[in-house]
Amino acid sequence: MPSFSQKTFTLALITILFPLLLPAQNQSAQHPLDALKTQEYWTVYDVLRDSGKIDKDTVTHSVLLHEPAKDKVLAWKSGDPTFREAEVILLRKGTTIEALVDITGHKLESWKERKDVQAPVVVSEFRELDEAMKKDPRVIEALKKRGITDLNPITCFADPFGYFALPELEGHRIMIANCANTHGAYFSWSREIEGLQIRVDATEKKVLQVIDEGIIPVSQAPVNYQDLETAPRTGTTPIGITQPLGPSFQIKGSEVSWQNWRFRFRLDPRVGAIVNLAGIQAGDRFRSVLYEGSMSELYVPYMDPALNWANRVFIDAGEFYATGHVLKPLRPEIDCPSNSVYFDSLAWEEHGFPVIHSQVACLFESYSGDPAWRHFEEHQLSGSGARVLVLRTAAVIGNYDYVLDWRFERDGNLRVAVGATGIIETKAVKAKNASEGGGHGMAGAPDEFGHFVAENTVGVNHDHFFSYRLDVDRLVKRQLNNPLRKSIWVVEPSIAKTEKDAMMDIHLEKPAMWHFINPNVKGPLGYPTGYELMPGATAASLLDPDDGPQKVGAFSTHQLWVTPYKQDERFASGVYVTQSKGDDGLAGWTKANRPIENTDIVAWYTLGFHHVTRAEDWPVMPVMWHDFVLRPFDFFPQSPVITLPPAP
Amino acid sequence: MPSFSQKTFTLALITILFPLLLPAQNQSAQHPLDALKTQEYWTVYDVLRDSGKIDKDTVTHSVLLHEPAKDKVLAWKSGDPTFREAEVILLRKGTTIEALVDITGHKLESWKERKDVQAPVVVSEFRELDEAMKKDPRVIEALKKRGITDLNPITCFADPFGYFALPELEGHRIMIANCANTHGAYFSWSREIEGLQIRVDATEKKVLQVIDEGIIPVSQAPVNYQDLETAPRTGTTPIGITQPLGPSFQIKGSEVSWQNWRFRFRLDPRVGAIVNLAGIQAGDRFRSVLYEGSMSELYVPYMDPALNWANRVFIDAGEFYATGHVLKPLRPEIDCPSNSVYFDSLAWEEHGFPVIHSQVACLFESYSGDPAWRHFEEHQLSGSGARVLVLRTAAVIGNYDYVLDWRFERDGNLRVAVGATGIIETKAVKAKNASEGGGHGMAGAPDEFGHFVAENTVGVNHDHFFSYRLDVDRLVKRQLNNPLRKSIWVVEPSIAKTEKDAMMDIHLEKPAMWHFINPNVKGPLGYPTGYELMPGATAASLLDPDDGPQKVGAFSTHQLWVTPYKQDERFASGVYVTQSKGDDGLAGWTKANRPIENTDIVAWYTLGFHHVTRAEDWPVMPVMWHDFVLRPFDFFPQSPVITLPPAP
């Protein structure tokens, strides 16, 4: 990318260079919640190899830390032995195997062969299926009909699908593929061959069926943004964040201390950054806010009934994490400012070996120039500038990039933000544009299910739903309703007693505060200490609850769910999402309507948005941010920022 | 405020000092939309004095630029004479007078005496009524009963009220007052004397009635945050924004150019910053986004039926702007970062003389470390950092500070953000805290209508609603509904034909996009060019529509209103809000259900939130931000940030 760079100026601003990488993978685990370390992956590998249960057809699809039960973690003290386990998913000739490995004890704890679930997909499956498809005479013929005889630039990509579609597929590992012609482009996005679908058996590596609905030319929309001439706009002067004395956070192992915040985090290959034991240090006393918080699943259904589109209903984390790591590298200057510290992470490859993924998280202090508080009174001007600690990762699942932030604010707010960017999925159509196609979204028009973003290229309507798992330690939920009473509103505290009480939706005419309190700890004014979950702009799924995809993505039905803590309830759409029937996950668990009052509970927040694409989203969409906040509510005795000096 | 300052470090970061003030008040108006200049205020003064209609009892309550009709402004070219008018509100012995002064022609255009409206309140009324009340024997007696004989630290503050309350008050200028004991404090907030109400006639400057419901001790909650020892938290290192080559925006008169944005702004004493003629410069062509945008009204109803609380329903801008200026000074380092430029503003005093209000706006480029866009693809990492131009003011209306931002983003987004901070209004109660009072918001408890924030001190429940007037030039509104159809959603474009069609509320189960298009200008893909109004988290009023206060604050009923452009429809609750019956304003105008299709329309967005106070809001609440975005939708032919270099 030729670029008229401002780098010369930008570098000049930085007076102290921060350590760019903090590789801690080789050390042994210091804490029960640390990410799996290099030698631990090798121990898992050795235990499995030596078990006699592995053969050459056994492929490692997942190796994740099996998190200890919460009571064990809370009882653990520095210096205690760290009891470490890994949960492993293997696939052997179509059979999914769950293995639990005791790393500390170097032994296989359990081995379970399952016919009822599908392991997540791995990269070799994509590669092998691509080859198999391009060798199939029916595929070769269909491509030839389109004038394509050079198959080198053709990629046929088999998507797993996250819901159980057709009865005849039961028990088989089925994927639905389409091909793309990457000739002239750096990748296959927007270059897909519409009207041609290939159904494959991923176990047998064979083509089951080729559906050809006729020729639609591949989009030739100019997608190579990498080649665009870049230049700053006229008059642009360099800008930067400076912190000449270095960052003011401390990192010890996986623990971060900053201002009065303290938390741990690890980078999990399936759900990304997991924040643990986050809380406020008040003198000698540590006050817990969140035992654990992480994104737990991502659900992206597309809204086009056409061939190759009706099946695009992604349960992104659960389906695709095994292809490497849900997190991808961050680029300094673009993704994180110059005062950032970066972190590497480990995942596995298909033998189970550890693989380093570099620079997949950054930590930095941000100062955008905003006040933390202020008041003007006659001649008095008081206040303080705001600074924020940001833990940032980017989950990249194929075309989309999700910038995922945990933002620790000095007033006790913990803001979770999702910035969606990346490449939208487009469909080639015969009509050049909306005028030619009689378009504007009318029935039968080429943009009925989307919006032209380039010539012959329609960005297809879709949703994005993120389920955040928020283990608000030892708290119960209290919801504060504000119903109309005559003409004032009053707060009617009500305590959610069961899971169904706690399924909450946002209605402007019936506003509710979602308040998590510790009934056993009272603040100086007699109220239980607590935190509030404050939603930002969000969306609910419009899909029919009986639809296959919606059964798996059912967490998108409500904005808030609350469940009693269970060690193994970690993923909003369940452990195995590929070809799932939706029995595992939030909707399934809460059918029992378990009691949640005076229990250790977990809150699940759904952050979502409907995405109607626009010309501005092409070829890469500008970041669109959504967020929610965990906000102290009677947690502190008074404003925690009132004694900060003016400077941020 | 003794403070362990970081100033030494912070100053060291700044390599070039920016001009701190750009005083342009003394020049003559360069553009029809410029704020009134110093000599123009004097011309208005001279014209009125020389009219023979002014006597010693005539007090100037308001002098505002009378904005020319839009067609005149759009037809105006640089070098043309600027036709300038001022609209003046005077009060003479209870009679409100509207005068229109032709500044250019040095003549009085119209003079209208009105008995049906009340001029906004001015500072001298507060002062004179305070004196009158403290001389009234009934007030002296009531204070004596409370052990108060030294009246020096007592302030009795008469609040105008923004709705028509009692039939017997018709035609009179009535205010409701309570007193506070500021002994030991810097101001009267939280020091109010509950149970004692004084009704006054503001024309006669006399006490009508004293209601004494018995003694409730004044809160002694420690409110003097100014005296608190401040210190940075352990380990804090200095952080700052640097722009060593200076800002990259240009200012010519009232016009700002930055990147591809161009806009004008003026600082209006009633509604604050008014952004005009905002748009995108594309080569030689200027593409309008917003003819005019501003906050138009603020509505803050409290939710307590008690004496002195049922009447606290503020229509803040319209009621209080005449007491000086709705905007108050900003403090460098707290409110705006070091790379800011500041602006002064003019208002009038009670003779009509111009008064300078210093440093009430700042303009700066912000860089928080976020990406504008990014994509990772195999080995490629592309993207660009985000920088934002922020035009910031702070409206301070008594206890509350509202940080009001217009944020121009490089992707064409125009984000409007409101940060609420300042001092919450509290009520003294006999109970010390929630435990003692049997509290927790239960019926009859001392915190039934609020929440303890300090001992004997309850923060009272209330709402904040902001009406933003967005004159999206020459566009029509198209709303895109996404109803459920089987199990995908599709976009059903529908055009709002009348004002009632366009009253929109936010429902998650019936999502809508609010799309403003220019049907006559099509982009390259055949779609009309347009902008979308994208709401953030917001709230709707829960009050009974027939309630007096709600009639005046009726704009809070819907999140979106659309009206045909009318030169004089500028304030969402009408021109005269004091003792209003709610006939003027959005709810009144739209009763006619005028057509809005293919018309020049104005959009009105309501940004609101319910405020249940918490301990952390005491003594000054941390800033709580809300926002909405005007977002290009097929306005640009492709992503406007894709050709920017990586550095922000």
Side-chain angles (χ1 to χ4, degrees), chain A residues 313-353:
Chain A
V313 183
F314 301 114
I315 309 286
D316 271 332
E319 276 180 309
F320 294 104
Y321 77 100
T323 62
H325 197 306
V326 76
L327 302 182
K328 294 292 185 296
L330 299 166
R331 182 160 164 173
E333 200 173 34
I334 293 173
D335 293 312
C336 313
S338 59
N339 58 339
S340 300
V341 168
Y342 291 85
F343 300 88
D344 291 355
S345 174
L346 288 175
W348 62 93
E349 51 77 87
E350 296 176 21
H351 295 94
F353 303 167

Side-chain angles (χ1 to χ4, degrees), chain A residues 13 187 189 225-226 230-233 235-244 246 248 259-260 303 328-329 331 333-335 337 365-377 380-384 387 392 396 398-399 401 410-411 421-423 433-435 440 447-449 451-454 461-463 482 484-485 487-490 493 508 511 525-527 542-544 547 559 610 613-616 618 620 622-624 631-636 638-640 643 645 647, chain B residues 13 187 189 225-226 230-233 235-244 246 248 259-260 303 328-329 331 333-335 337 365-377 380-384 387 392 396 398-399 401 410 421-423 433-435 440 447-449 451-454 461-463 482 484-485 487-490 493 508 511 525-528 542-544 547 559 610 613-616 618 620 622-624 631-636 638-640 643 645 647:
Chain A
L13 307 181
F187 48 56
W189 310 117
Y225 61 83
Q226 300 89 340
T230 66
R233 292 188 181 131
T236 300
T237 55
I239 194 167
I241 295 173
T242 83
Q243 230 180 337
S248 68
Q259 303 271 327
N260 53 357
M303 300 295 157
K328 294 292 185 296
R331 182 160 164 173
E333 200 173 34
I334 293 173
D335 293 312
E365 288 164 271
S366 172
Y367 167 57
S368 60
D370 295 340
W373 69 278
R374 62 103 61 199
H375 184 58
F376 172 82
E377 185 77 34
Q380 313 164 21
L381 256 170
S382 312
S384 179
R387 83 160 78 184
R392 173 168 295 166
V396 183
N399 54 315
D401 301 52
R410 297 203 291 180
D411 58 5
T421 175
I423 300 174
N433 56 39
S435 304
H440 301 252
D447 60 356
E448 180 176 4
F449 306 108
H451 201 83
F452 278 95
V453 294
N461 296 338
H462 59 283
D463 292 331
N482 302 333
L484 176 66
R485 203 184 84 181
S487 203
I488 61 166
W489 51 259
V490 292
L508 261 57
L525 298 172
Y527 297 116
L542 303 173
L543 299 194
D544 190 312
D547 250 26
Q559 282 82 62
H610 305 299
T613 61
R614 53 182 184 147
E616 288 83 355
W618 177 267
V620 184
V623 175
M624 183 194 268
R631 176 177 180 257
F633 202 102
D634 298 331
F635 183 90
F636 294 98
Q638 66 168 17
S639 165
T643 53
Chain B
L13 305 181
F187 47 56
W189 310 119
Y225 61 83
Q226 300 91 340
T230 67
R233 292 189 182 131
T236 300
T237 54
I239 194 166
I241 295 174
T242 82
Q243 231 182 334
S248 67
Q259 304 271 327
N260 54 357
M303 300 295 157
K328 295 290 186 294
R331 181 159 165 174
E333 201 174 34
I334 292 173
D335 293 312
E365 288 164 271
S366 171
Y367 167 56
S368 60
D370 295 339
W373 68 278
R374 62 103 60 199
H375 183 59
F376 172 81
E377 186 76 34
Q380 312 164 22
L381 256 170
S382 312
S384 179
R387 84 160 79 184
R392 174 167 294 166
V396 182
N399 54 315
D401 301 52
R410 298 204 292 182
T421 175
I423 300 174
N433 56 37
S435 304
H440 300 252
D447 60 356
E448 181 177 5
F449 306 108
H451 201 83
F452 279 95
V453 294
N461 295 338
H462 58 283
D463 292 331
N482 302 333
L484 176 66
R485 203 183 82 181
S487 204
I488 60 166
W489 51 260
V490 292
L508 261 57
L525 298 171
Y527 297 116
L542 303 173
L543 299 194
D544 190 313
D547 250 24
Q559 281 83 62
H610 305 299
T613 61
R614 52 181 185 149
E616 288 83 355
W618 177 266
V620 184
V623 176
M624 183 195 268
R631 175 176 180 257
F633 201 103
D634 298 332
F635 183 89
F636 295 97
Q638 66 169 14
S639 165
T643 54

Side-chain angles (χ1 to χ4, degrees), chain A residues 116-283:
Chain A
D116 59 330
V117 297
Q118 292 292 344
V121 70
V122 292
V123 169
S124 63
E125 294 184 292
F126 291 146
R127 200 176 49 236
E128 289 162 9
L129 291 169
D130 176 60
E131 281 168 23
M133 286 185 270
K134 289 192 291 187
K135 280 180 190 154
D136 187 275
R138 293 162 292 180
V139 175
I140 292 170
E141 180 58 30
L143 292 171
K144 199 174 172 187
K145 261 173 60 184
R146 288 162 171 83
I148 302 168
T149 50
D150 173 13
L151 300 194
N152 289 322
I154 303 299
T155 59
C156 294
F157 188 81
D159 264 326
F161 53 111
Y163 60 101
F164 182 70
L166 302 162
E168 66 267 28
L169 304 182
E170 178 120 39
H172 297 278
R173 188 170 176 83
I174 305 301
M175 299 195 198
I176 294 184
N178 55 9
C179 302
N181 188 346
T182 63
H183 191 276
Y186 290 113
F187 48 56
S188 61
W189 310 117
S190 83
R191 291 292 185 257
E192 288 168 18
I193 298 166
E194 299 295 335
L196 179 64
Q197 184 175 91
I198 307 162
R199 296 188 178 180
V200 294
D201 182 315
T203 308
E204 305 294 332
K205 315 291 180 211
K206 72 172 188 191
V207 173
L208 300 174
Q209 192 184 1
V210 176
I211 304 168
D212 191 342
E213 290 189 345
I215 298 170
I216 297 163
V218 169
S219 162
Q220 293 304 312
V223 70
N224 285 357
Y225 61 83
Q226 300 89 340
D227 295 341
L228 294 173
E229 195 80 34
T230 66
R233 292 188 181 131
T234 314
T236 300
T237 55
I239 194 167
I241 295 173
T242 83
Q243 230 180 337
L245 304 184
S248 68
F249 50 81
Q250 289 83 45
I251 304 174
K252 276 188 202 161
S254 307
E255 192 182 63
V256 178
S257 309
W258 178 74
Q259 303 271 327
N260 53 357
W261 278 103
R262 218 175 79 196
F263 63 95
R264 312 187 67 83
F265 76 95
R266 73 175 194 269
L267 301 169
D268 181 83
R270 176 162 178 160
V271 297
I274 299 179
V275 170
N276 276 110
L277 298 165
I280 301 291
Q281 193 72 38

Side-chain angles (χ1 to χ4, degrees), chain B residues 548 551-552 554 573 579-585 587-588 591:
Chain B
K551 282 185 187 169
V552 188
S573 292
Q579 285 172 250
S580 167
K581 290 178 184 168
D583 301 325
D584 197 10
K591 274 184 189 146

Side-chain angles (χ1 to χ4, degrees), chain B residues 67-74 277 288-292 469-477 496-499 516-520 561-567 569 594-604:
Chain B
E67 209 177 273
K70 199 198 283 193
D71 54 353
K72 283 194 183 171
V73 173
L74 292 174
L277 298 164
S288 173
V289 170
L290 196 67
Y291 173 74
E292 184 165 290
R469 182 176 180 276
L470 305 162
D471 188 341
V472 279
D473 192 24
R474 288 161 301 176
L475 300 181
V476 299
K477 176 173 169 288
K497 291 187 168 32
T498 67
E499 289 176 309
F516 298 89
I517 57 170
N518 187 338
N520 305 315
W561 306 71
V562 178
T563 60
Y565 168 79
K566 295 285 163 202
Q567 187 181 358
E569 293 182 358
R594 296 167 293 188
I596 56 167
E597 195 183 4
N598 276 315
T599 321
D600 184 9
I601 58 169
V602 176
W604 306 74

